[in-house]
Amino acid sequence: MSENPQANFVIVDTGCANLASVKFAVERLGFTITISDDTHVIKNADKVILPGVGSARHAMENIRAKGLVATLQQLTQPVLGFCLGMQLMARSSAEGVGKDEVVECLGLIPTDIRPLEAKTLRLPHMGWNTLTQVSDHAIFTGIKVDDYFYFVHSFAAPISEYTVARCHYGSEFSAAIAKDNFIGCQFHPERSSALGSKIIKNFLEM
Amino acid sequence: MLAKRIIPCLDVRDGKVVKGVQFRNHEIIGDIVPLAQKYAQAGADELVFYDITASSDDRVVDKSWVSRIAQVIDIPFCVAGGIKTEEDAKQILMMGADKISINSPALRDPSLISRLADIFGQQCIVVGVDSFFNQDANNGAGEYQVYQFTGDETRTQKTKWRTLDWIQEVQRLGAGEIVLNCMNQDGVRQGYDIKQLSQVRKLCNVPLIASGGAGKISHFVDVFQQADVDGALAASVFHKAIIAMDELKQTLKNEKVEIRLC
């Protein structure tokens, strides 16, 4: 069970579909967590998880409709984004809109989500792939290069000063990005077996 | 490197895992949740649950087992069967499934693929294709043809689609992955249909999963090396413990197939 049963963990209800699997992954570790789109609940959480699947356009529409943009931008506690949740932390995304257009995202980490340059490889990048570089960020304690994680995406954050882990699929891209209290993983920790659980545990115990 | 995926498939009927031979004579294998857990722990890369009665019965079946699976396993899983609308898909994904697979409903209304991909993202929309090699077709030269309602043999029927045409059409509409079930091979454990899968591979730019025919470890080696599929799906060899997951994965690794060892 959790060493700190008083800790208050919240999953932001982005209106996307994988909320349950993220909640179950946290609960398997012995923690409790609340799914909420209430600004008060989110602001008062000790840790916040921002999940997401689907297109950036739909997700940002949901977040705007729920009036959560300012709340998420003002969070000072640790926030972990998964997959699309990571991409929403960027300034913008090219997903779900026409050519030469972008979706404005939350702007928590100054990078822009672009189509994954898979070269001749098939898209979506779907399945278990290895990390090619891992920084010493606290969520990666016990994680090393060549560990496998589950990826499902066609868009990615390019390598930048905010990259804290890398993956290679046709070209190198950010497997994780971080700035200040915000960190996002392109892969799905909740679906990456024991090592994915390790990352969630690292985050909740940070 | 991206690993090739080993995907145990659990055919579900009335909340139990069943397996038939060439889609017939279904026998009960066991309860879903403990089987799902067993495969996840053994090192499966993904699981697929086919509710084989759903499409052909034209009814909404009890899907509460989806949520029970999501609670216990920490690898991705896909649910197929009876998903006919955006609302059906939303319900399954909300219960914790990572992907949904559609087959007969996509044949009835191909635009469903596009609508689902637009709402939930291309990455979670799998299209299952049941393909049968009809020797008499095409003036006796034979042809791969798409079938539907394969969950119930009394209603199984040929569609107007040639397999290679349908493969291209579903990609155009937004399928994120294709599972090709080669019906001639299904359940008889004589090997994957390398010839058909290789032809489909040439036209398939999204992940392609081979289904039907796995009987021994060398069949997996062959399908990855010769047909370049992204994943291989199998049922009875795992349910009947004919193949052990760890031995399978180690053999693939030794054969230089990129694989995640557990």
Side-chain angles (χ1 to χ4, degrees):
Chain A
M1 294 301 287
S2 167
E3 288 170 18
N4 180 3
Q6 306 305 315
N8 176 15
F9 302 138
V10 171
I11 296 169
V12 180
D13 181 355
T14 49
C16 292
N18 69 336
L19 298 169
S21 49
V22 174
K23 182 169 193 280
F24 293 144
V26 170
E27 289 173 348
R28 280 196 296 273
L29 291 165
F31 299 98
T32 55
I33 192 159
T34 309
I35 297 174
S36 179
D37 56 8
D38 182 311
T39 55
H40 182 75
V41 171
I42 295 169
K43 275 180 196 164
N44 286 293
D46 295 310
K47 302 270 172 65
V48 174
I49 293 179
L50 183 65
V53 291
S55 79
R57 180 170 58 87
H58 274 285
M60 283 307 300
E61 280 169 7
N62 286 343
I63 289 172
R64 281 199 195 90
K66 287 169 181 267
L68 294 178
V69 173
T71 300
L72 294 173
Q73 286 172 336
Q74 287 159 15
L75 294 176
T76 53
Q77 62 273 59
V79 182
L80 176 61
F82 291 176
C83 195
L84 180 64
M86 177 209 88
Q87 299 191 356
L88 298 178
M89 290 176 162
R91 276 183 306 225
S92 72
S93 170
E95 188 174 20
V97 287
K99 208 172 181 302
D100 301 325
E101 289 177 74
V102 293
V103 181
E104 190 186 338
C105 296
L106 295 168
L108 307 172
I109 301 176
T111 185
D112 299 292
I113 305 303
R114 299 174 190 159
L116 177 57
E117 291 175 21
K119 305 280 167 62
T120 58
L121 300 177
R122 297 180 274 271
L123 287 173
H125 173 219
M126 186 179 317
W128 298 78
N129 206 338
T130 48
L131 300 182
T132 53
Q133 183 254 328
V134 184
S135 76
D136 58 1
H137 193 287
I139 73 155
F140 292 126
T141 304
I143 306 297
K144 58 187 190 310
V145 166
D146 288 340
D147 282 343
Y148 279 103
F149 291 91
Y150 185 74
F151 289 83
V152 185
H153 62 121
S154 298
F155 288 72
I159 300 294
S160 71
E161 63 185 287
Y162 304 105
T163 301
V164 290
R166 298 177 184 215
C167 179
H168 195 281
Y169 187 71
S171 64
E172 207 162 42
F173 63 91
S174 297
I177 51 176
K179 180 174 182 284
D180 305 326
N181 56 317
F182 296 103
I183 179 156
C185 300
Q186 179 59 67
F187 52 88
H188 285 268
E190 80 280 16
R191 282 288 176 255
S192 293
S193 199
L195 293 175
S197 297
K198 174 79 178 149
I199 285 178
I200 298 172
K201 191 163 188 285
N202 287 343
F203 172 73
L204 296 177
E205 291 177 346
M206 240 164 59
Chain B
M1 283 238 317
L2 184 66
K4 299 293 189 184
R5 285 177 269 156
I6 303 296
I7 308 171
C9 172
L10 295 87
D11 287 346
V12 178
R13 178 176 270 180
D14 298 326
K16 299 282 184 188
V17 176
V18 298
K19 180 61 190 172
V21 175
Q22 285 189 320
F23 289 81
R24 290 172 199 166
N25 307 322
H26 297 110
E27 57 179 294
I28 292 175
I29 304 285
D31 288 328
I32 302 178
V33 171
L35 267 171
Q37 211 162 7
K38 189 183 93 178
Y39 288 129
Q41 285 165 359
D45 296 303
E46 191 170 322
L47 297 173
V48 172
F49 299 89
Y50 273 100
D51 203 326
I52 56 170
T53 54
S55 278
S56 45
D57 283 7
D58 199 25
R59 62 178 170 132
V60 177
V61 291
D62 175 18
K63 301 283 190 185
S64 60
W65 50 269
V66 175
S67 183
R68 288 187 283 126
I69 290 162
Q71 282 174 38
V72 298
I73 71 165
D74 57 7
I75 58 169
F77 72 98
C78 177
V79 171
I83 298 159
K84 301 185 192 71
T85 64
E86 292 90 322
E87 199 48 47
D88 294 337
K90 186 176 180 185
Q91 187 198 2
I92 299 293
L93 293 169
M94 284 293 190
M95 283 198 247
D98 300 277
K99 307 184 210 177
I100 49 151
S101 181
I102 54 172
N103 188 330
S104 300
L107 288 158
R108 193 162 40 213
D109 174 14
S111 73
L112 178 63
I113 300 170
S114 305
R115 299 200 306 274
L116 293 174
D118 184 49
I119 299 170
F120 303 107
Q122 181 202 15
Q123 80 291 334
C124 66
I125 310 304
V126 181
V127 175
V129 178
D130 289 324
S131 177
F132 187 79
F133 184 73
N134 204 330
Q135 185 60 62
D136 298 332
N138 197 15
N139 296 322
E143 193 167 74
Y144 296 110
Q145 298 174 331
V146 179
Y147 278 66
Q148 64 180 344
F149 305 129
T150 50
D152 175 353
E153 72 168 294
T154 63
R155 298 188 54 196
T156 298
Q157 57 181 247
K158 185 162 77 79
T159 68
K160 65 175 184 179
W161 288 96
R162 293 190 326 139
T163 302
L164 296 177
D165 294 336
W166 182 236
I167 292 289
Q168 290 172 287
E169 179 69 1
V170 302
Q171 290 177 82
R172 192 184 64 78
L173 292 168
E177 179 165 274
I178 293 171
V179 176
L180 184 70
N181 186 54
C182 306
M183 293 171 70
N184 309 69
Q185 264 71 18
D186 186 68
V188 295
R189 301 205 285 266
Q190 297 298 308
Y192 290 99
D193 189 340
I194 304 283
K195 190 177 163 194
Q196 180 174 192
L197 287 158
S198 300
Q199 288 185 38
V200 168
R201 173 79 285 172
K202 288 194 188 109
L203 299 172
C204 184
N205 299 312
V206 297
L208 175 65
I209 309 300
S211 168
K216 52 188 183 184
I217 287 177
S218 65
H219 294 154
F220 290 84
V221 177
D222 291 345
V223 79
F224 287 126
Q225 289 183 341
Q226 296 172 33
D228 188 29
V229 295
D230 298 280
L233 187 145
S236 62
V237 290
F238 297 127
H239 303 326
K240 296 184 176 177
I242 295 166
I243 291 178
M245 188 66 70
D246 52 354
E247 188 189 350
L248 170 61
K249 288 193 141 185
Q250 188 59 58
T251 306
L252 287 164
K253 186 91 179 170
N254 295 347
E255 294 287 338
K256 308 279 186 261
V257 175
E258 187 70 23
I259 207 83
R260 180 183 69 109
L261 292 181
C262 294

